[in-house]
Amino acid sequence: MTPLAAQRHATVFACCNVIAGDLAKVPLRLYQRTGPSRAEPVADHAATYLLNTESAPGVAARVARFALVYAFALRGRAYAYAPRDGAGELTLLEVIRPDLCAELRDGRARFYAFEDGAGIQRRAPSRAMVHLRYMAEDGWTGRSPLQVAAESVGLALAGQEAAARAASGVQMRAVLKMEDVYEDDEAWHRNAR
């Protein structure tokens, strides 16, 4: 079961769409820890702007968050490139298509290979990426919820396709082969019927 095949199923698409749409609507607040049990909201921070207003030039933050959550719900992983300037401040939050991003490792170091929105091939360290992952048993790669439930989703998809064929009026054709020798003409007519 691939994510592209699964999202053709109306239920899978609707679930991913509703989850992503609802989470994209919620404004995100950034807090700074000021003590062991105290946190105060931070208004003037690049992450607040990138998560709530505009994540990249011309891309509304809600659109980027929708894309991240939709990919996460469908594939179990989502990526965004989050480079920093010379002072260490975030400059943008650019969603990367999950099927165009490769996770690499060198010992314990983690890297990502992808093409950014400007068409530049990049190899970025984990510090410069947002990586959402579902059921990451190794803490790193993540698993698709559809792969976990592949048999159930596959059966549902097959049922939906069979129902669509039946509703379209397509008739199944078959050949029935019967024996040539009958006791009498009445047996032949009964079997023919």
Side-chain angles (χ1 to χ4, degrees), residues 118-172:
I120 298 171
Q121 291 293 327
R122 295 197 178 271
R123 186 165 287 192
S126 58
R127 184 178 193 279
M129 295 293 287
V130 175
H131 181 179
L132 305 177
R133 42 198 169 269
Y134 174 75
M135 288 184 68
E137 293 176 336
D138 61 356
W140 170 246
T141 54
R143 295 172 58 195
S144 166
L146 296 171
Q147 288 173 334
V148 172
E151 288 182 17
S152 299
V153 175
L155 286 173
L157 188 57
Q160 178 176 311
E161 289 173 1
R165 279 193 304 273
S168 69
V170 175
Q171 297 177 0
M172 292 178 44

Side-chain angles (χ1 to χ4, degrees), residues 55-73:
S55 65
V59 180
R62 288 182 182 188
V63 173
R65 290 189 352 232
F66 178 91
L68 283 168
V69 175
Y70 186 89
F72 175 76

Side-chain angles (χ1 to χ4, degrees), residues 26-189:
V26 178
L28 298 177
R29 309 243 188 270
L30 185 66
Y31 289 87
Q32 180 177 7
R33 192 175 303 276
T34 57
S37 60
R38 287 193 48 155
E40 294 181 9
V42 178
D44 295 331
H45 194 279
T48 303
Y49 179 81
L50 295 172
L51 290 170
N52 293 295
T53 307
E54 187 178 59
S55 65
V59 180
R62 288 182 182 188
V63 173
R65 290 189 352 232
F66 178 91
L68 283 168
V69 175
Y70 186 89
F72 175 76
L74 185 64
R75 292 177 169 86
R77 61 189 200 284
Y79 307 96
Y81 179 46
R84 298 168 188 267
D85 62 15
E89 294 294 324
L90 291 169
T91 58
L92 64 93
L93 190 65
E94 181 179 13
V95 177
I96 305 297
R97 288 184 51 99
D99 49 348
L100 300 179
C101 186
E103 301 163 359
L104 309 171
R105 74 170 33 173
D106 182 19
R108 288 196 172 105
R110 307 290 194 242
F111 299 91
Y112 300 85
F114 61 94
E115 182 178 308
D116 71 7
I120 298 171
Q121 291 293 327
R122 295 197 178 271
R123 186 165 287 192
S126 58
R127 184 178 193 279
M129 295 293 287
V130 175
H131 181 179
L132 305 177
R133 42 198 169 269
Y134 174 75
M135 288 184 68
E137 293 176 336
D138 61 356
W140 170 246
T141 54
R143 295 172 58 195
S144 166
L146 296 171
Q147 288 173 334
V148 172
E151 288 182 17
S152 299
V153 175
L155 286 173
L157 188 57
Q160 178 176 311
E161 289 173 1
R165 279 193 304 273
S168 69
V170 175
Q171 297 177 0
M172 292 178 44
R173 301 184 199 302
V175 174
L176 181 62
K177 188 171 182 180
M178 301 174 67
E179 63 180 274
D180 292 334
V181 180
Y182 298 97
E183 294 178 17
D184 54 27
D185 284 343
E186 184 183 333
W188 183 88
H189 286 293

